[in-house]
Every structure is written in C-alpha cells, then in structure tokens.
Amino acid sequence: MEQPIRILIVEDNVIIADDMQSMLEEIGYEIVDNVIVYEQAEEVLKTQHVDLVLIDIILASDKTGIDLGKHIRENYDIPFIFVTSNSDRATVENAKTVKPNGYLVKPFEQQDLYTSIEIALSNFTRSDKSTAAVVENEEDVPMSNTVLKDSIFVKKQHLYYRIQFSDIRFIKADNVYLEVNTVDKKFLVRSPLKDYLEKLPKNKFYRAHKSYIVNVDHIDAINSKDIMIKDTLIPISKDFKEFIISAMNS
C-alpha cells in the first residue's frame, strides 16, 4: 500500500517549526513529530518510523544539529536536510563534514522546501547503484526512485510514495519498460529486468522467466508450464520450475 513520506522536524523556533509543518502537510507529507532539541529527536528516531529529517543547525540544547546529523549518519539509513539561518563559510564547511542530503537557508518558500526534500529523496539510496525510473504512463517524465530496506519510493504526481516489497506481486518486461504489478496498482519502470531484480530482496523475488520476476509469496498455483498469481497466468522456465518444486518439497 502507498504511504506518505514521514518527516521529523527538529527546529527550536516554534513559530518557524509550525510554519514548516503547515507547508509540509499542505503538500502531502506526514509529520512524525516536531521537536526542539537533540535528545527529543534521538528518542523519536529510536521509537518512530522516519523517512527524512529536517534539522536546524542551532538547537536549544548543548548538542547541535550537526551532532544530530552525525548521529543519523552513523545509526540510521535515512536522508536529512539542514535548515538554517547560517550560510557563512565556516558553518557550511562544518555541516559538510556529516554529509547532509541538503542545505536550506532561511527564509524559504514552500516550493524551496518541497524541492529540497524531493531532491534529497531521489538522490538517496542504500547503495551507490543508480536506480530506475518509475512512472505511471509513458508520457510521464521519468524520475529516480529510492530503495530502502523494506520498500521502494515511487514517484506519483508530485510526491514520492513508499511501496512495500511485500505488496509487489510480479514484474513483467515490456519492451523498454517494466510493468510492476502491486496488490492494488500498476506502474511502469524504465529499466532492464536484470538490473531491477538486483534492487529486490533475493529471498522473495526470482526471475521465473526471461520476461518475468515474481514474488514467491504471491504464487497461488503451479503446473508444468505456468504459475498463477491472482488471476494472471505467468510462464516459467525449466530452472524456476525445478526451484519451486524443490522448495515445496523441502
């Protein structure tokens, strides 16, 4: 199922923080929490699911936003953006040491905030491999998607949505596109089938045929030539047939 991007705001100016939250919710993001000090942010990250963090560099605590950025980089696999009034050389150089995924200088408009978040999400991956573009139809402009440990971010209209790997039923190669079939939607991905397979969990997704990747958890039936997923009959290779039969008998 699609879920909105979940954002944590770490900003000690309550007026600015509330304004940011209103901007973000208007766009369609979900605010996990809105906190003012390092320790509160640390607790939220420990107990809540967060996709991205917006961090003021100067906080109402001994530890700064840069300290928080370092904590995130060392302990979590998520992007963060510094949001600050300071754009002097020393602050920027100090901020660069923790490799933020963005740097936004106050004051800013809603569009600036949106653009910074989208670029941070589109560039952030768990590996250095390039990711494929996900679009709803061939006329859409391809956008990067981002792979996380249990899901992939899919571009839809002007937002990225999280698609759980478990919701992907099968993927079919169709010329230069891949047709990604989930439990409730269908997306087109501009990518070779082999490259896309590398982005998926290896214990669930297998190349069942030269033109298909399947999620084995969604297989409903099998015969000597095909498998059935929901109402779709999918051809299988000899190797995949032997693999499935072996798995069934183990």
Side-chain angles (χ1 to χ4, degrees), residues 15-221:
I15 295 174
I16 293 175
D18 288 346
D19 190 38
M20 287 172 60
Q21 179 162 347
S22 296
M23 288 184 191
L24 294 167
E25 290 177 338
E26 187 176 304
I27 295 170
Y29 300 114
E30 181 178 335
I31 306 306
V32 180
D33 208 336
N34 197 328
V35 301
I36 63 172
V37 295
Y38 176 101
E39 291 76 17
Q40 290 175 321
E42 186 180 34
E43 184 63 24
V44 173
L45 288 166
K46 191 187 302 181
T47 59
Q48 302 286 326
H49 172 79
V50 177
D51 294 317
L52 179 141
V53 190
L54 295 169
I55 309 171
D56 187 8
I57 289 180
I58 306 301
L59 298 174
S61 57
D62 291 337
K63 291 191 174 181
T64 67
I66 292 175
D67 292 321
L68 180 58
K70 182 180 180 182
H71 175 74
I72 292 170
R73 189 59 73 229
E74 292 175 349
N75 296 280
Y76 300 94
D77 198 22
I78 57 175
F80 63 89
I81 297 171
F82 284 137
V83 182
T84 180
S85 301
N86 303 301
S87 57
D88 60 278
R89 186 182 184 89
T91 301
V92 172
E93 289 301 316
N94 197 14
K96 283 165 59 178
T97 63
V98 293
K99 297 180 171 55
N101 303 95
Y103 194 99
L104 189 59
V105 179
K106 305 170 189 172
F108 49 81
E109 301 295 330
Q110 183 182 50
Q111 188 61 34
D112 301 323
L113 192 56
Y114 162 71
T115 302
S116 295
I117 290 170
E118 291 298 311
I119 290 174
L121 287 170
S122 68
N123 288 339
F124 184 82
T125 58
R126 300 189 74 247
S127 69
D128 291 329
K129 296 177 182 178
S130 61
T131 52
V134 176
V135 292
E136 286 196 49
N137 57 62
E138 295 185 12
E139 286 72 39
D140 286 332
V141 177
M143 296 292 291
S144 295
N145 62 46
T146 301
V147 179
L148 296 183
K149 63 181 179 180
D150 61 352
S151 55
I152 191 166
F153 283 122
V154 176
K155 180 75 174 180
K156 181 182 179 184
Q157 295 176 348
H158 67 290
L159 287 177
Y160 283 84
Y161 288 87
R162 180 190 289 273
I163 304 298
Q164 300 290 329
F165 287 136
S166 58
D167 285 343
I168 299 175
R169 285 177 171 156
F170 66 90
I171 300 165
K172 176 184 178 183
D174 185 9
N175 294 319
V176 298
Y177 291 96
L178 301 180
E179 183 184 283
V180 180
N181 290 264
T182 71
V183 293
D184 57 356
K185 284 184 175 60
K186 188 182 297 184
F187 300 92
L188 290 181
V189 178
R190 201 191 300 264
S191 170
L193 195 66
K194 180 181 178 182
D195 291 353
Y196 207 74
L197 180 59
E198 293 180 0
K199 300 174 174 60
L200 304 171
K202 292 178 172 53
N203 62 332
K204 297 293 183 185
F205 290 88
Y206 295 87
R207 193 161 183 172
H209 180 270
K210 65 180 181 179
S211 300
Y212 286 90
I213 294 169
V214 300
N215 183 342
V216 293
D217 286 346
H218 286 280
I219 295 175
D220 296 315

Side-chain angles (χ1 to χ4, degrees), residues 208-209 212 214 218-229 231-238 240-242 244-245 248:
H209 180 270
Y212 286 90
V214 300
H218 286 280
I219 295 175
D220 296 315
I222 182 172
N223 62 25
S224 60
K225 295 182 179 179
D226 310 281
I227 55 173
M228 180 169 284
I229 295 181
D231 300 321
T232 303
L233 206 59
I234 296 172
I236 57 175
S237 66
K238 180 175 180 290
F240 186 73
K241 175 190 170 185
E242 292 174 355
I244 285 294
I245 291 174
M248 289 167 58

